[in-house]
Structure formats: structure tokens, C-alpha cells
Amino acid sequence: MADAAGQGQGLESLSAEERRFPPPPGLAEHANVTEATFEAAAADDVAFWAEQARRLSWETEPTQTLDWSDAPFARWFADGRLNAAYNCLDRHVEAGLGERVAFHFEGEPGDTRTITYAELTAQVCQAANALVELGVKAGDRVAIYMPMIPEAAVAMLACARIGAPHTVVFGGFSSDALATRILDCGVEVVITADGGYRKGKASALKPAVDEALERCPEVRSVLVVRRTEQETAMTEGRDVWWHDLVDRQPTEHAYEAFEAEHPLYIMYTSGSTGQPKGIFHTTGGYLTGVAYTHWATFDLKPETDVFWTAADIGWVTGHSYLVYGPLANGTTSVMYEGTPDTPHQGRWWDVVDKYGVTILYCAPTAIRTFMKWGAEIPAKADLSSLRLLGSVGEPINPEAYVWYREHIGHDRTPVVDTWWQTETGMHMISPMPGVAEGKPGAAMRAVPGVSVKVVNDEGQPVSDDAAGYLVIDRPWPAMLRGIWGDQQRYVDTYWSRFPGVYFAGDGAKLDADGDIWLLGRVDDVMNVSGHRMSTTEIESSLVSHPKVAEAAVVGASDETTGQAIVAFVILRSEAGDGGPDVVDELRRHVAKDIGAIARPRQIMVVDELPKTRSGKIMRRLLRDVAENRELGDVTTLTDSTVMDLIKGNLATTS
Ligand code: 6R9
């Protein structure tokens, strides 16, 4: 377990954390979730979820709740039928909420759009009709590669409406990453844009699609939103402008209800091996899980709250808490296109002020960046509308938690640290703001209806204050239904380490109150700015460069990004010393191959890598080097002088 503690926060510093923040009285009094909720859920979790499913509008009400007879393949609400887009849109309009704002969109250059539920419904119907015209049928997969603009959400919901599972590929990923995903799930239609705005500039997206499609002959149509109006090459017979095709469609579309287990989307995520995994989610259970947790964790009051998830739609957080959860609950949300420091470092706080944001949900890496920029920046804006703050994506260090609460929440707002994964689909561990006495750095306890444990190597529950592995020992409605095209890998990855329970890949510990503290990944997955990156995937990319013989990648702790990518490479002998620019060349190669977020912070050229006798690279030692620490135990190395060599090497190259 040394690795579990090493990747996250030190156990000692956590145990010393004694600050406590009880819920503000007003919030506790009207809280959506109380102790009684936990008791009811614990008494009968299946009945609890059956009740939560009633938040949705079903064409055919389910009579079955959970079928776990073919574990670990779950079926939830299997005989129920529903349409996800209807649940997010039309039903609110039918209930008289058509004029409620669904999205306040803020573009990076300052352009804005206010979209009501009635307008969003009409736009989604038009896009659904357009997809039908392109020949998309229920069950066909559609890739979405878009900037953060309303059409991204419209595209997702249009797919959901016609039962075509979408796979959203983060716009920061490379053409190669896009091609791999298109090929893996057999996409025939891609929705994209000419470009988006980032850091004050129009940044093109369409050329990456063109490049990807050279490898994907099965793709027959590309639907292109005009956002930046930059020069864009269009391939005759394949590419069509959104405004040409979608805008002329009728604003009504008769939806069909699908089985609860109909696939809703596929989201690729890094695992501990090179190949990204296509995590797939289905309709009824997922929507139940995200609608419930969005309401419970954020103590949502949809009539009055203005909710802002400051995450990209290309990640699961954007799926569950920017699109499906908030819209299922009839929430008013903010969607922001750009970076936090464009045109100035106070942009987020201006957005909060302008729209009266009441709940802000973002990643610790953003909070640490704001800390670095200084508290005087948020102090200039009026943040008095905020009543609740959320954190997601990586462990939040106590200092960042307290700074967030103090300088953004002005000591009035609870902070909810939500632990979950692409695979879990919904929040799994989080304080419930009306009952929890917040502890900086702790994700606290499982949300109502969810059951987690911390176990040792043998799968036995650990005693208080000991570190172990986080497992989930009961199925939950928004759980992944598998890995697209590779169900054996699903069983092997998640259900084999500890038989019968779901292994999350995270280290955790329980404190004396039974509260859970997350300690970071225990596998070869790094967490860079809240994004999951696989060490193996980056190693493979480096090794694919003709000058590289061998590579080892580690996540070194980084003050801002949580972890940073540090690579050690051995060059091929024919490459000589690689030339003066070899490091730059390799960094660019990885960025091109996977995406800019995968570009290593540092690459060190070495002659040897530390390996165990069984040939496993000892990343722990490399992490020591990357973090400038004294070396840990080197006795399992084949050759213990290797580390001296590496350190000698670095002394001469740095
Ligand atoms: C939602 C999301 C999942 C991994 C997960 C864990 C880390 C997420 C966390 C957290 C500590 C939290 N993680 N939330 N660690 N505290 N509140 O981030 O999904 O991209 O799949 O990443 O992120 O290591 O296993 P995903």
C-alpha cells in the first residue's frame, strides 16, 4: 500500500486535520437529505432506488428493480421503457417550465446565449430529425468532438432521443485518439465544429477530424457546427454544415421510448494498460442515479438555484452533472466555453457574479491555480450568490478545501468533495451538505443507497486509520454495464481483484468516525489536473518514436496539477545523444499522438531504467527521483547501481 499513500496525500497530514465545518442552519433545516434518508436507504437499498426511479417519467413504469442474477452484469428497471431526452426536456415544458432557462452560455470571447427549456427542446428535436435524415438509427454509435458550446449538449441529447449511443471525445484529444475511439466502437457519423475558442484564440477542430477519418473509412457523414468561422475544408458528399442541415428541420420530433437497459453512451477512459476502455452506460439506471445524486449532493432547489459545473463535456463530469443530471432535474445551468484566465484571471468570478451562480462544481486543480493567482482576484467580484461548493476529480488537499471555502464561499458555504468515476456514472462518496460536518480533505461517506468498504490485500475490512483499497460491495443504478466490445476485460479489471466486489483502483482509509479519505490511485493511472492518464499509454507513445528504445512514465506530485507527467527514456543507440532538441521533439510527439494534456512536464534521457527481477519497472523509485526525494528501498532491483547511474545522468543533463 506504499503506493496508495504515496500518490495522494500523506497519511500523517490527514490524521492531523482537525478543522470541522457543520452545515449552515438554514441549509440543514430545509435539506433534501437527512439522517432518515440514510436509514431508509440502508434498510432496503433496492426499494430506495425503486423510489428514486420515480423521479423520471417512464413510458412503461418498471415493475422490476435490480436483476443481479448474472453478476457482475447488472440490469436495473429492466422492464421499464423511457426516453432520456424526453426526461431532460419535453416533460419540463409540458409541466409549464418551458420559459425556465436551461443554459446560460458564456463563450470565451464574451458572446452569450440564453436557452430556455422550450428552446432547447426545439433544437434537440431539429438535431434529432437531422440525424435521422443522415440515416442514423437506434443503436448506431455517433462520435461528438466539440468545443464547449450549446450544440455539444444538443448533439448528445439528439442522439439520446433517437437511441443512438454517443461517444464524446474531448476536444483537446488528438486526431489519433479520435480515430482509435471511432474505430473501437464502429462510429459512422461524427458531429464536430470548425473550432472553438481557447486562450483568446480560435482553435481549429475540423482538421483533426479530417486527419482521423483517413483511418476510418466507415464514417460516412460529418456534421459541422460553425463556431469560429475559420477557413474549413469540407469534403463533398461527406461533410455537411449544421446550419444547412439542422436549421431547416421541424422543431418537433416524435420520440420513441427505449428499454431501460438501452445503451445511452460510451465514454473512453484510461486504464492501467495502453488501450483506452470504452465504458458504457445505459438509460434508466444511469438517469436515475445522476438525477438523484445531483439533487442530493448539491441539495438542489431547481426553482432558485443556478448551477455551474466548470468541466468539459468531454469528461464524465460534463455528462452527468452538466447535461443529464441537471436537465433531468429541470435545473438552470451555466456553460462556459473557455479557460479561466481569458481575458483575465478573474473570469470565473465575473461569470458567478453575472449569472448569480449558487452552486459551483469544479476540480481541485482549478482551486490550486486560483490560490496561486491570489485571493485578491476573486475578492473583486460579488460572490454572495454562492451557497454550495463542490469538488471533483482528485483528492482535494485540506489547504485547497479551506481556501475554497474561505475565499470563494466566504465561510458560508459547505464544500462537498465528491468521489466517483467514469465507471460509477454518479457520485458514490460525498458529504451530504445538510447533515455532514465537513472535514477538509475527506470525501466522508457513501451517498444514500451506495455501499463502499475499505479492505486490505486479503479483501478484509481494515480497522480505523489503516489504509486499504476502496471497493463497492453492492450494485448501483448508474454503474457501468461493461467495456464496449470486451466484457471479459470488464470482469478482469473490476471484479477479479476481490471476488464479488467492484475494485475502484483507489486507495482509501477510514478515520475513527468511519469517514472515508481517498488516497489516490493504486494502479498505473495518473491524475493530471483531474484527468485520468495511463502511464502505459504515454510510454507506448514515447516508444513509438523512432529515437526511443524504452520509456517509463510516472506521475510526480505537482502543486497545481495534482500529478505531473515525468518520463524517463532510453534512446536507441543509432539515435546517438538524440540531438539538442530531442526532449522537445518527444514532448511534441506525445502531444500529437494523444493530446496536449498528455505532454510530459519533463523528459529525462537516461541510460538505464530500474527494474525488478521479474522485469517490472520500479516506478516508485523513478517517482522518488522525479520528486527529488531520498530513494526508497532498492533491494528488489536487478542491479542496484542503476539508480546511481540515473541520478548521475541527471546531474549532468540538468
Ligand atoms: C469523476 C471523475 C476517476 C478517478 C478516481 C479517483 C479520482 C475522482 C475524486 C478522486 C479523490 C475525489 N477521483 N474524484 N479522488 N477524491 N473526490 O473524475 O472520473 O475521470 O473517471 O476519474 O479520479 O482516483 O478513480 P474519472
Side-chain angles (χ1 to χ4, degrees):
M1 284 305 304
D3 270 18
Q7 296 211 359
Q9 355 188 7
L11 284 179
E12 321 69 47
S13 68
L14 290 181
S15 313
E17 179 54 60
E18 278 174 358
R19 289 168 287 193
R20 298 290 179 268
F21 301 103
L27 198 156
E29 221 172 289
H30 305 287
N32 291 352
V33 171
T34 63
E35 271 314 326
T37 320
F38 283 96
E39 284 158 26
D44 187 344
D45 57 355
V46 173
F48 174 80
W49 288 117
E51 197 181 314
Q52 301 318 320
R54 296 206 194 102
R55 292 171 183 275
L56 305 181
S57 303
W58 297 80
E59 179 98 352
T60 311
E61 292 275 339
T63 62
Q64 303 161 6
T65 304
L66 168 66
D67 177 0
W68 192 229
S69 58
D70 187 27
F73 299 95
R75 290 165 63 78
W76 283 88
F77 315 116
D79 63 345
R81 296 180 74 89
L82 77 168
N83 184 288
Y86 171 79
N87 272 278
C88 291
L89 302 164
D90 315 56
R91 66 165 176 155
H92 303 312
V93 179
E94 288 166 14
L97 302 176
E99 294 313 302
R100 183 180 285 174
V101 173
F103 287 116
H104 290 291
F105 169 69
E106 171 97 2
E108 200 193 68
D111 57 320
T112 62
R113 272 192 264 172
T114 304
I115 305 170
T116 64
Y117 272 91
E119 289 163 345
L120 190 63
T121 306
Q123 291 173 19
V124 169
C125 287
Q126 286 186 305
N129 288 322
L131 291 176
V132 171
E133 193 176 313
L134 292 176
V136 181
K137 299 178 305 302
D140 293 352
R141 276 80 62 204
V142 174
I144 299 176
Y145 185 63
M146 300 265 264
M148 277 285 284
I149 56 176
E151 287 83 353
V154 171
M156 288 165 71
L157 292 160
C159 289
R161 193 168 187 99
I162 63 171
H166 53 73
T167 182
V168 181
V169 179
F170 174 53
F173 275 141
S174 66
S175 59
D176 261 6
L178 176 63
T180 311
R181 286 154 176 77
I182 288 175
L183 292 171
D184 188 73
C185 68
V187 162
E188 292 178 19
V189 173
V190 177
I191 308 178
T192 186
D194 49 359
Y197 290 98
R198 271 193 73 75
K199 297 194 185 292
K201 286 201 301 273
S203 147
L205 269 182
K206 176 66 168 43
V209 176
D210 293 337
E211 206 180 310
L213 296 193
E214 286 169 18
R215 281 173 50 198
C216 308
E218 299 299 316
V219 173
R220 57 168 201 276
S221 302
V222 181
L223 187 53
V224 190
V225 175
R226 183 171 279 163
R227 166 70 182 140
T228 54
E229 310 206 355
Q230 57 205 127
E231 269 298 308
T232 301
M234 297 289 276
T235 300
E236 185 72 42
R238 186 195 70 185
D239 301 351
V240 41
W241 287 105
W242 176 283
H243 56 262
D244 285 340
L245 179 67
V246 178
D247 291 1
R248 65 172 163 78
Q249 301 293 331
T251 53
E252 272 160 26
H253 170 267
Y255 69 88
E256 184 190 331
F258 297 99
E259 286 181 3
E261 285 298 338
H262 188 82
L264 181 62
Y265 71 82
I266 304 163
M267 167 108 261
Y268 284 84
T269 187
S270 295
S272 43
T273 60
Q275 182 72 9
K277 300 176 283 201
I279 304 300
F280 79 93
H281 285 287
T282 59
T283 310
Y286 173 79
L287 214 54
T288 300
V290 297
Y292 175 68
T293 49
H294 178 250
W295 175 86
T297 306
F298 299 114
D299 192 50
L300 182 81
K301 310 290 189 229
E303 300 76 29
T304 47
D305 275 322
V306 178
F307 182 79
W308 182 15
T309 286
D312 196 277
I313 226 157
W315 306 107
V316 74
T317 306
H319 281 49
S320 297
Y321 300 106
L322 182 67
V323 178
Y324 289 111
L327 294 175
N329 288 330
T331 315
T332 295
S333 288
V334 167
M335 178 191 286
Y336 172 57
E337 178 186 28
T339 40
D341 53 353
T342 307
H344 58 83
Q345 296 176 336
R347 182 67 185 270
W348 274 31
W349 318 121
D350 287 356
V351 170
V352 168
D353 190 348
K354 178 169 173 185
Y355 297 106
V357 172
T358 59
I359 305 169
L360 172 65
Y361 190 38
C362 67
T365 182
I367 301 163
R368 289 190 298 265
T369 304
F370 298 134
M371 287 171 77
K372 207 165 63 185
W373 290 345
E376 63 287 358
I377 293 171
K380 287 188 211 134
D382 179 0
L383 303 181
S384 58
S385 56
L386 288 171
R387 66 177 196 90
L388 191 72
L389 301 173
S391 169
V392 57
E394 50 179 321
I396 179 164
N397 13 4
E399 285 329 304
Y401 176 111
V402 170
W403 188 94
Y404 192 28
R405 200 190 136 90
E406 196 175 310
H407 294 286
I408 306 304
H410 299 166
D411 259 332
R412 292 176 290 105
T413 60
V415 173
V416 291
D417 174 15
T418 62
W419 179 91
W420 59 295
Q421 307 177 297
T422 304
E423 293 87 342
T424 69
M426 66 182 217
H427 298 158
M428 300 298 278
I429 307 174
S430 172
M432 290 293 120
V435 290
E437 189 167 74
K439 293 179 186 175
M444 314 285 292
R445 64 170 156 164
V447 307
V450 168
S451 178
V452 303
K453 298 252 164 6
V454 180
V455 300
N456 62 17
D457 276 312
E458 283 74 51
Q460 300 305 317
V462 298
S463 50
D464 292 353
D465 254 1
Y469 304 97
L470 185 72
V471 298
I472 306 170
D473 62 349
R474 289 283 296 153
W476 64 102
M479 67 195 285
L480 72 165
R481 298 301 195 264
I483 295 177
W484 194 264
D486 197 351
Q487 291 298 42
Q488 190 54 46
R489 188 171 173 204
Y490 164 69
V491 176
D492 294 345
T493 309
Y494 303 105
W495 299 92
S496 302
R497 174 71 181 81
F498 302 106
V501 301
Y502 172 91
F503 172 50
D506 280 50
K509 72 157 202 161
L510 286 179
D511 67 17
D513 302 327
D515 287 322
I516 299 163
W517 300 71
L518 275 310
L519 303 172
R521 301 288 305 192
V522 293
D523 52 15
D524 292 334
V525 175
M526 296 172 290
N527 193 325
V528 182
S529 297
H531 298 152
R532 263 160 85 167
M533 306 290 326
S534 142
T535 52
T536 327
E537 201 180 342
I538 298 172
E539 284 164 5
S540 313
S541 167
L542 284 164
V543 173
S544 74
H545 189 283
K547 288 187 182 168
V548 176
E550 214 179 332
V553 166
V554 297
S557 27
D558 182 279
E559 229 177 74
T560 308
T561 59
Q563 286 188 304
I565 303 166
V566 178
F568 295 80
V569 297
I570 302 177
L571 297 179
R572 285 173 189 266
S573 50
E574 58 272 27
D577 68 355
D581 302 325
V582 66
V583 164
D584 271 352
E585 190 180 330
L586 296 180
R587 290 179 74 232
R588 271 200 310 275
H589 170 78
V590 176
K592 165 133 198 356
D593 213 17
I594 307 175
I597 44 167
R599 182 191 293 127
R601 181 187 74 184
Q602 244 173 316
I603 295 183
M604 314 200 194
V605 177
V606 296
D607 295 330
E608 293 283 349
L609 287 170
K611 295 207 180 129
T612 61
R613 288 177 181 84
S614 63
K616 274 182 102 145
I617 293 174
M618 291 195 70
R619 291 201 174 72
R620 174 171 61 76
L621 295 177
L622 293 174
R623 213 152 45 223
D624 288 343
V625 174
E627 294 174 350
N628 287 322
R629 256 196 317 269
E630 281 294 299
L631 289 186
D633 182 26
V634 293
T635 49
T636 52
L637 283 178
T638 28
D639 174 2
S640 61
T641 60
V642 165
M643 291 313 293
D644 298 333
L645 256 169
I646 290 182
K647 295 191 97 177
N649 238 286
L650 299 181
T652 53
T653 52
S654 57

